[in-house]
Amino acid sequence: MGVALRKLTQWTAAGHGTGILEITPLNEAILKEIIVFVESFIYKHPQEAKFVFVEPLEWNTSLAPSAFESGYVVSETTVKSEEVDKNGQPLLFLSVPQIKIRSFGQLSRLLLIAKTGKLKEAQACVEANRDPIVKILGSDYNTMKENSIALNILGKITRDDDPESEIKMKIAMLLKQLDLHLLNHSLKHISLEISLSPMTVKKDIELLKRFSGKGNQTVLESIEYTSDYEFSNGCRAPPWRQIRGEICYVLVKPHDGETLCITCSAGGVFLNGGKTDDEGDVNYERKGSIYKNLVTFLREKSPKFSENMSKLGISFSEDQQKEKDQLGKAPKKEEAAALRKDISGSDKRSLEKNQINFWRNQMTKRWEPSLNWKTTVNYKGKGSAKEIQEDKHTGKLEKPRPSVSHGRAQLLRKSAEKIEETVSDSSSESEEDEEPPDHRQEASADLPSEYWQIQKLVKYLKGGNQTATVIALCSMRDFSLAQETCQLAIRDVGGLEVLINLLETDEVKCKIGSLKILKEISHNPQIRQNIVDLGGLPIMVNILDSPHKSLKCLAAETIANVAKFKRARRVVRQHGGITKLVALLDCAHDSTKPAQSSLYEARDVEVARCGALALWSCSKSHTNKEAIRKAGGIPLLARLLKTSHENMLIPVVGTLQECASEENYRAAIKAERIIENLVKNLNSENEQLQEHCAMAIYQCAEDKETRDLVRLHGGLKPLASLLNNTDNKERLAAVTGAIWKCSISKENVTKFREYKAIETLVGLLTDQPEEVLVNVVGALGECCQERENRVIVRKCGGIQPLVNLLVGINQALLVNVTKAVGACAVEPESMMIIDRLDGVRLLWSLLKNPHPDVKASAAWALCPCIKNAKDAGEMVRSFVGGLELIVNLLKSDNKEVLASVCAAITNIAKDQENLAVITDHGVVPLLSKLANTNNNKLRHHLAEAISRCCMWGRNRVAFGEHKAVAPLVRYLKSNDTNMHRATAQALYQLSEDADNCITMHENGAVKLLLDMVGSPDQDLQEAAAGCISNIRRLALATEKARYT
């Protein structure tokens, strides 16, 4: 809420006082959302509604004491709530006119009491309490910036001793959610706001001036600027008003009213306070609603203006501009010259009308789409279809069959989409997520003869009888529909609308002909968008229920082509297309027998293939994947996977590959025994099928059981053999990805070593695209966890290409290559090569990378490098600013970065000089600050780092002073033996200081350490016993001192 109020609300100029909220649609929308949140708070969160604010929210209310009834103690000028805090203070106190409220429950009740005045009360509250979060939760929560997350809030509260911390946490989270909601809600408003330019406003005013003057036939008596001076940017408003988006001020005298003083701004047009009588200055304060543009404003204010505009024939309809270029483009110079040449002097008035019509269209095209196009919104969301299709004048529903140019549809579509549901699409969605801009054929360009022939055929389609229509469709199919010229010719002459209309006829032949053409031309990205804009997808989805199998196949194939971008996939799902496509997979006959099948069976197989093809396109959306699973798609896909028809297998495996990114699917794939068939198809001759099978294995092999199944069914050998075929890079990327994921299991690594796959992988470290390199290096990183494989990589010359890859910028590649280099550095011989190639310096430089994953992976890789390098201490000191850099990384918020840096510091601190340097850089307070973490991995490495850092100067004392000892004692309650050992060693070092011994004893360390003295881990035994010995020795010395 704090971020939304600070950044999005619009305030008046404050002067020397505090500003007030402007009366704008955005402000009103934000206030209404806050009111909804507060009103429902008492019902949705009754426990949190009782929480007492740290400070009351105060403002001047317009409510009278008489408005309060039961639950309040009311007098003539004051009101007190019967609900009080623990000190007996009322949670609501009104002393006319000031009101103080200290809980959400009372805020909710106040809004119910305010009734119609709730918006006014909310505005007054927001104006008087500019930072409400601080007053509700306290000043500590003033740090909740827009990048704060739930974990930051949780961490802040768990460090508090406040008994109400849990309720505070919930309220903080609810306010954070409200803040995000307000930001998203406001963005929708902002995205739909008008944005006028000085040039647009100037042209508008100049053109209106031509039709103004004395006489009843003019649209206005006069229109003039308040200032004659024009700035270089085209504005006439003073600079201090230009900052607020204001362009100019005009005085307009309509025939039927007083002179109006109007402000034209980037956000729209509105009536201001007029000119002052004294000095003639403009009163800039807004006095009414904001309108889209000057013409819309004048139509609203002056009936005479609107009437005369109609009489003169100055239409601002878009229908006259169908053939104009895209929004905002002026007519071409050649066309303008030709126009002037053809028009005589007596027609100048008509020319001016055309000009004003054109420019008005350019300014209103975005905001006044034709009614026909409004109906197309029905195909993008079910929510408000009736409201959009309903004719405002007749109240009747129009048949949704628009027929206008694509450019205007695109504008309306984009604005309408801003209020549609947002769809979460998976990372696999890479094709055409961004819809390309529309490109249209220029009428004056040299077009091929096919363009004009197609234009004639479309005329026959529009006006011919059934026979002529079928003949025209057949003739159109004779053209090369794969060529973009023919595809766009069909669209530009209105052929798409006709083809989609034919899908709603009862004539099967016409439907088949139309779908065959649509299937071919829908490979064009622009055509796909046009089909969706024209409402073609819902019609095709309905055709999937047809008893004619040919129609089902064509409709499914066309859907497969069109559903290449998010909006199309959403439309298919919203109109029930997923369920119908899944039903197509249920072949009535056994398709596993390739024998001499009948024509009937072949058609069944083709229907299932087309259904799988469409599902493959639709499955790039996360929501659609879930819909496919719920519709029962997995068992049907598993059954089709057993077929021997390769053209069927490719879309089936492609769909499974897309869906396998979801955990639910991976579990179902194991349950349906799909892995066995994927492995079998790796031996196919079809490269595309091999690619998709390997990619599906890559997605599924995140799970150990799946990796074991791939090995048990003999899938590792074909994967290793496919590494030798490097021509097909897409297949190579999929195969190396599958090998990488399978290599996570040690048993699989042993098999790959038998198949000589490691040597082949090393050979792929050069001259390959990044998507292949990421997987190759990832696989080598897993394989090099074993000594034998590290030796193979070194002997095959793999160290140098790995080090060379450290200078890249691909995040995923850097994460994998640092892991691989770190694994190789465990072997001293490999470490010598890495050091000679300056690999350690390159790793250290990656600690500056902005991506946390890269930083963490680089820090982990440095650990074995420092441990096994010759003269490691000197090497580390040779990196200028290197030690300061790694110490500063302890300020990171990422737990993996912190754990890896602690591990690196443990190795760095083995050298006394380095330990002295990092101590000077403040390593002790930074490590101490991390001691309260709940992350076990971080705890382990933090304890080891503290243990090492204790061995310099007075660091032991410093750790105690920075409160690091007590949290360490709590680590001993963990079940992890490694953490016990690291913690016991740290406590042993810290126990050399007497004050630390006292802290350990007070926190119950002795009892926990006594249990560990009997541990089978010798290092843990010694550390625990040593710590107890130091504590006991201090106790004896204290006791002896007491008696002496």
Side-chain angles (χ1 to χ4, degrees):
M1 189 164 73
V3 178
L5 292 180
R6 186 168 65 252
K7 291 198 169 184
L8 294 174
T9 49
Q10 298 161 337
W11 301 80
T12 59
H16 295 291
T18 56
I20 62 170
L21 284 172
E22 289 187 348
I23 305 170
T24 65
L26 177 59
N27 282 351
E28 190 173 332
I30 290 174
L31 289 174
K32 285 180 179 177
E33 291 301 313
I34 293 173
I35 289 169
V36 170
F37 172 79
V38 174
E39 277 185 328
S40 62
F41 199 94
I42 195 170
Y43 307 111
K44 291 183 179 178
H45 314 286
Q47 191 67 28
E48 291 75 16
K50 298 175 184 177
F51 172 76
V52 180
F53 298 162
V54 175
E55 296 178 40
L57 297 177
E58 304 178 37
W59 70 92
N60 289 339
T61 180
S62 59
L63 293 176
S66 58
F68 295 84
E69 297 174 355
S70 60
Y72 298 94
V73 179
V74 182
S75 69
E76 189 174 341
T77 59
T78 63
V79 176
K80 293 182 181 179
S81 66
E82 293 177 357
E83 189 179 7
V84 295
D85 62 10
K86 58 186 178 183
N87 297 322
Q89 296 295 319
L91 297 183
L92 180 146
F93 179 73
L94 168 63
S95 178
V96 178
Q98 189 179 54
I99 190 168
K100 298 181 180 180
I101 293 183
R102 301 179 62 196
S103 76
F104 276 111
Q106 289 298 330
L107 275 176
S108 297
R109 293 187 183 98
L110 180 81
L111 289 176
L112 293 174
I113 292 167
K115 296 179 182 176
T116 56
K118 62 181 70 174
L119 189 65
K120 188 176 180 182
E121 292 299 318
Q123 180 178 348
C125 179
V126 170
E127 287 172 352
N129 302 276
R130 296 290 285 268
D131 204 344
I133 292 175
V134 174
K135 290 194 172 185
I136 294 170
L137 298 174
S139 58
D140 288 345
Y141 293 84
N142 198 28
T143 59
M144 285 167 54
K145 305 298 182 187
E146 51 263 54
N147 61 346
S148 68
I149 56 173
L151 289 176
N152 294 346
I153 300 169
L154 182 59
K156 176 187 291 296
I157 294 168
T158 52
R159 291 193 293 271
D160 283 344
D161 295 324
D162 188 352
E164 295 181 323
S165 60
E166 186 176 352
I167 292 180
K168 270 191 175 184
M169 177 189 73
K170 290 181 180 176
I171 292 175
M173 293 298 294
L174 289 170
L175 292 175
K176 184 68 180 175
Q177 289 169 9
L178 173 63
D179 207 20
L180 292 172
H181 173 70
L182 291 177
L183 289 169
N184 291 329
H185 190 75
S186 302
L187 285 174
K188 291 176 184 177
H189 273 268
I190 293 167
S191 64
L192 296 173
E193 283 182 354
I194 305 99
S195 182
L196 298 177
S197 67
M199 182 62 69
T200 303
V201 173
K202 183 177 179 181
K203 291 182 183 295
D204 204 0
I205 293 170
E206 287 178 354
L207 289 168
L208 283 174
K209 277 183 178 180
R210 298 183 187 181
F211 293 89
S212 300
K214 300 295 181 181
N216 293 330
Q217 300 304 313
T218 56
V219 294
L220 296 168
E221 280 191 19
S222 65
I223 177 170
E224 59 184 5
Y225 294 106
T226 59
S227 169
D228 293 328
Y229 183 77
E230 182 176 342
F231 291 86
S232 58
N233 61 0
C235 294
R236 294 174 187 258
W240 60 90
R241 301 302 297 179
Q242 289 183 33
I243 294 172
R244 303 175 64 82
E246 294 179 4
I247 298 169
C248 66
Y249 313 99
V250 289
L251 293 171
V252 176
K253 180 67 174 74
H255 288 293
D256 52 353
E258 297 296 324
T259 301
L260 305 172
C261 190
I262 301 168
T263 298
C264 298
S265 70
V269 175
F270 57 85
L271 186 68
N272 58 41
K275 278 199 168 188
T276 58
D277 295 330
D278 301 331
E279 300 176 1
D281 293 331
V282 175
N283 179 359
Y284 303 115
E285 187 176 353
R286 183 161 64 85
K287 297 296 184 182
S289 302
I290 299 176
Y291 294 82
K292 303 171 187 177
N293 47 56
L294 192 55
V295 173
T296 307
F297 174 93
L298 292 171
R299 282 186 186 278
E300 184 70 21
K301 298 293 182 183
S302 171
K304 189 71 174 176
F305 172 83
S306 182
E307 178 185 344
N308 285 354
M309 292 277 281
S310 302
K311 284 181 180 178
L312 289 170
I314 306 173
S315 168
F316 291 83
S317 152
E318 288 189 341
D319 295 334
Q320 297 181 10
Q321 295 296 326
K322 284 185 182 178
E323 303 305 320
K324 293 292 180 184
D325 288 332
Q326 294 180 357
L327 181 61
K329 288 188 180 179
K332 292 194 174 3
K333 291 182 179 178
E334 301 81 31
E335 294 172 353
L339 191 62
R340 286 193 298 270
K341 185 176 179 180
D342 292 341
I343 295 178
S344 63
S346 61
D347 292 328
K348 285 183 182 178
R349 185 77 170 183
S350 174
L351 173 59
E352 289 179 349
K353 291 180 185 178
N354 289 334
Q355 286 177 323
I356 193 169
N357 186 36
F358 171 75
W359 287 112
R360 189 69 242 136
N361 262 305
Q362 301 308 308
M363 291 182 280
T364 60
K365 198 176 281 189
R366 180 172 180 176
W367 310 111
E368 296 179 356
S370 72
L371 191 59
N372 281 340
W373 271 110
K374 288 185 180 179
T375 64
T376 65
V377 182
N378 181 40
Y379 297 115
K380 304 181 189 68
K382 297 179 180 178
S384 58
K386 286 188 177 180
E387 295 172 11
I388 296 170
Q389 286 187 354
E390 192 168 348
D391 188 295
K392 293 181 180 177
H393 302 293
T394 63
K396 296 179 181 178
L397 294 179
E398 297 184 21
K399 185 178 179 181
R401 179 55 43 229
S403 177
V404 291
S405 73
H406 172 63
R408 290 195 258 325
Q410 199 172 28
L411 291 174
L412 177 61
R413 164 171 55 74
K414 288 183 178 178
S415 61
E417 278 191 323
K418 296 181 190 303
I419 56 172
E420 291 181 321
E421 60 167 315
T422 55
V423 180
S424 172
D425 288 296
S426 68
S427 59
S428 63
E429 192 160 340
S430 58
E431 249 188 306
E432 287 186 55
D433 287 337
E434 295 298 328
E435 300 175 21
D438 185 24
H439 300 291
R440 307 195 72 82
Q441 307 266 9
E442 292 291 343
S444 59
D446 293 330
L447 296 172
S449 59
E450 289 89 343
Y451 188 94
W452 308 112
Q453 292 170 9
I454 288 173
Q455 189 175 27
K456 290 179 182 178
L457 287 174
V458 170
K459 288 181 181 177
Y460 288 120
L461 284 178
K462 288 179 179 178
N465 58 22
Q466 180 181 323
T467 306
T469 300
V470 173
I471 293 171
L473 288 171
C474 294
S475 301
M476 196 175 288
R477 286 202 63 213
D478 290 338
F479 288 95
S480 178
L481 297 179
Q483 290 182 6
E484 187 178 27
T485 303
C486 296
Q487 294 167 349
L488 297 182
I490 293 173
R491 180 195 67 177
D492 292 347
V493 298
L496 274 182
E497 292 92 330
V498 181
L499 291 172
I500 291 172
N501 268 325
L502 288 174
L503 298 181
E504 294 185 293
T505 64
D506 296 328
E507 181 55 45
V508 175
K509 290 180 180 178
C510 291
K511 288 183 178 181
I512 290 175
S514 176
L515 282 171
K516 284 183 176 180
I517 294 169
L518 288 171
K519 185 187 79 170
E520 293 296 327
I521 66 176
S522 58
H523 289 286
N524 185 303
Q526 295 175 42
I527 300 291
R528 292 173 194 154
Q529 293 173 50
N530 297 143
I531 290 172
V532 177
D533 292 333
L534 292 165
L537 272 180
I539 301 170
M540 294 178 200
V541 168
N542 291 334
I543 291 174
L544 297 176
D545 291 327
S546 169
H548 297 277
K549 293 181 181 179
S550 298
L551 277 178
K552 286 182 179 180
C553 290
L554 289 168
E557 278 195 275
T558 310
I559 290 171
N561 291 340
V562 175
K564 298 287 188 184
F565 59 102
K566 293 179 185 178
R567 185 163 57 91
R569 290 190 281 269
R570 186 186 311 140
V571 171
V572 173
R573 183 183 70 253
Q574 289 174 341
H575 288 82
I578 300 296
T579 306
K580 294 177 181 180
L581 289 170
V582 169
L584 297 185
L585 303 180
D586 191 9
C587 294
H589 298 269
D590 186 5
S591 61
T592 63
K593 298 177 183 177
Q596 313 298 324
S597 57
S598 67
L599 179 62
Y600 186 81
E601 291 169 334
R603 284 183 178 175
D604 275 341
V605 172
E606 182 63 13
V607 169
R609 185 192 73 83
C610 296
L613 205 61
L615 287 174
W616 188 8
S617 293
C618 293
S619 64
K620 289 181 172 62
S621 157
H622 166 76
T623 315
N624 285 355
K625 290 175 188 176
E626 191 60 23
I628 293 170
R629 187 182 67 81
K630 289 180 178 177
I634 301 176
L636 294 172
L637 289 168
R639 192 175 77 183
L640 292 175
L641 198 56
K642 298 174 183 176
T643 184
S644 57
H645 302 279
E646 280 191 355
N647 59 346
M648 166 82 81
L649 285 170
I650 290 172
V652 168
V653 176
T655 306
L656 287 170
Q657 162 217 316
E658 290 290 347
C659 295
S661 59
E662 304 291 320
E663 190 173 349
N664 289 337
Y665 268 92
R666 293 198 289 271
I669 284 171
K670 283 187 294 183
E672 294 291 339
R673 303 181 66 180
I674 288 175
I675 298 298
E676 180 180 354
N677 289 299
L678 290 176
V679 168
K680 184 182 77 173
N681 286 310
L682 282 174
N683 296 307
S684 166
E685 296 296 322
N686 189 301
E687 291 189 2
Q688 192 180 4
L689 180 57
Q690 290 173 338
E691 176 192 335
H692 293 307
C693 287
M695 185 57 75
I697 292 171
Y698 165 77
Q699 298 279 15
C700 296
E702 296 283 346
D703 179 69
K704 184 182 184 306
E705 189 179 343
T706 302
R707 295 195 292 270
D708 294 340
L709 286 172
V710 174
R711 183 180 70 257
L712 293 172
H713 291 302
L716 301 182
K717 189 169 185 177
L719 284 173
S721 64
L722 286 172
L723 284 176
N724 297 312
N725 302 321
T726 60
D727 294 335
N728 187 330
K729 299 303 180 185
E730 289 79 9
R731 183 184 62 178
L732 185 60
V735 169
T736 50
I739 290 174
W740 171 21
K741 295 301 179 182
C742 289
S743 298
I744 298 172
S745 295
K746 290 184 178 179
E747 299 86 352
N748 291 349
V749 172
T750 304
K751 286 289 185 182
F752 283 132
R753 187 166 62 246
E754 289 177 15
Y755 301 141
K756 307 293 183 184
I758 297 172
E759 292 89 337
T760 311
L761 287 170
V762 171
L764 293 173
L765 286 172
T766 53
D767 302 325
Q768 296 298 336
E770 282 189 343
E771 55 268 25
V772 174
L773 287 173
V774 169
N775 297 334
V776 169
V777 176
L780 288 174
E782 297 296 340
C783 292
C784 287
Q785 303 301 316
E786 297 181 5
R787 183 184 176 281
E788 297 92 330
N789 299 333
R790 290 195 290 269
V791 173
I792 293 172
V793 170
R794 175 168 53 81
K795 290 183 175 179
C796 291
I799 304 295
Q800 182 161 354
L802 282 173
V803 172
N804 291 342
L805 291 173
L806 289 171
V807 297
I809 57 173
N810 183 297
Q811 180 187 348
L813 179 57
L814 287 174
V815 169
N816 285 354
V817 77
T818 46
K819 182 177 180 180
V821 170
C824 292
V826 173
E827 191 189 33
E829 292 88 344
S830 297
M831 183 57 223
M832 290 173 62
I833 301 172
I834 293 169
D835 192 16
R836 188 175 70 246
L837 295 170
D838 214 9
V840 182
R841 183 186 59 80
L842 293 173
L843 283 172
W844 212 288
S845 67
L846 289 176
L847 296 176
K848 299 177 184 178
N849 194 285
H851 299 289
D853 292 342
V854 177
K855 289 179 184 175
S857 189
W860 287 122
L862 284 171
C863 295
C865 291
I866 297 169
K867 187 176 180 180
N868 296 303
K870 188 177 179 181
D871 298 326
E874 183 62 35
M875 176 188 71
V876 170
R877 286 192 296 278
S878 69
F879 302 136
V880 178
L883 290 173
E884 183 180 4
L885 170 63
I886 204 159
V887 170
N888 285 334
L889 284 177
L890 290 172
K891 299 173 184 177
S892 172
D893 294 327
N894 187 284
K895 294 293 188 292
E896 189 68 18
V897 171
L898 292 172
S900 61
V901 169
C902 286
I905 286 173
T906 302
N907 288 281
I908 291 168
K910 291 178 182 178
D911 182 270
Q912 288 292 299
E913 290 186 48
N914 288 341
L915 178 53
V917 174
I918 62 175
T919 300
D920 290 341
H921 285 308
V923 74
V924 172
L926 290 172
L927 289 173
S928 301
K929 189 182 285 188
L930 300 175
N932 284 305
T933 183
N934 295 320
N935 184 288
N936 285 336
K937 188 175 185 180
L938 175 54
R939 282 179 165 186
H940 174 205
H941 294 288
L942 176 61
E944 288 183 338
I946 290 174
S947 176
R948 282 288 175 186
C949 290
C950 282
M951 298 178 186
W952 177 259
R954 60 184 303 276
N955 282 1
R956 294 183 179 89
V957 178
F959 277 119
E961 291 171 350
H962 286 91
K963 312 291 185 189
V965 179
L968 279 175
V969 174
R970 293 198 292 271
Y971 294 6
L972 296 174
K973 297 177 182 178
S974 167
N975 297 320
D976 186 356
T977 305
N978 291 327
M979 191 186 298
H980 289 167
R981 181 172 60 253
T983 306
Q985 288 171 342
L987 291 174
Y988 170 61
Q989 292 295 333
L990 290 167
S991 66
E992 298 288 340
D993 176 66
D995 290 335
N996 292 343
C997 287
I998 295 169
T999 306
M1000 292 177 202
H1001 190 271
E1002 289 174 348
N1003 286 274
V1006 175
K1007 185 177 182 303
L1008 295 167
L1009 289 167
L1010 280 171
D1011 294 336
M1012 295 174 189
V1013 172
S1015 169
D1017 188 315
Q1018 189 173 347
D1019 292 335
L1020 175 55
Q1021 277 185 17
E1022 291 177 2
C1027 186
I1028 294 170
S1029 172
N1030 288 338
I1031 295 171
R1032 182 60 186 154
R1033 198 175 290 120
L1034 174 65
L1036 290 171
T1038 305
E1039 190 174 346
K1040 184 177 179 181
R1042 185 186 305 167
Y1043 288 110
T1044 57

